Amino acid sequence: TFGPHSEVGTAVCRPTQEVGYIVSGRLDLWIDGKLFSLGQGDSFRVRGEPFRWINPHDAPCVCIWVIAPPVY
């Protein structure tokens, strides 16, 4: 869950493949410098590119986010 007005300010780049699905709410996601404004039902994939996100909205965003291989 990404809280309202939360963000990761600095781009992250990991040697992973990551996919996500927005269950509810909205999220802005930059992948390799390109902005994607995501909403309920949208999905995304990050393949080792730098990315960052922000939830500039007043409601939380619930997202299923899968990272492979696991880095945590």
Side-chain angles (χ1 to χ4, degrees), residues 13-20 31 44-49 51 64-72:
C13 189
R14 298 187 276 241
T16 59
Q17 286 209 41
E18 307 186 29
V19 294
I31 301 173
F44 61 88
R45 178 172 69 175
V46 179
R47 294 175 293 183
E49 301 105 336
F51 69 92
I64 298 169
W65 195 307
V66 180
I67 303 171
V71 293
Y72 296 103

Side-chain angles (χ1 to χ4, degrees), residues 12-61:
V12 176
C13 189
R14 298 187 276 241
T16 59
Q17 286 209 41
E18 307 186 29
V19 294
Y21 175 80
I22 307 299
V23 177
S24 64
R26 294 180 288 169
L27 189 71
D28 289 348
L29 179 65
W30 285 262
I31 301 173
D32 204 19
K34 185 174 180 184
L35 172 62
F36 298 90
S37 294
L38 306 171
Q40 183 177 358
D42 289 335
S43 61
F44 61 88
R45 178 172 69 175
V46 179
R47 294 175 293 183
E49 301 105 336
F51 69 92
R52 66 185 184 94
W53 57 264
I54 183 171
N55 177 0
H57 309 286
D58 293 330
C61 174

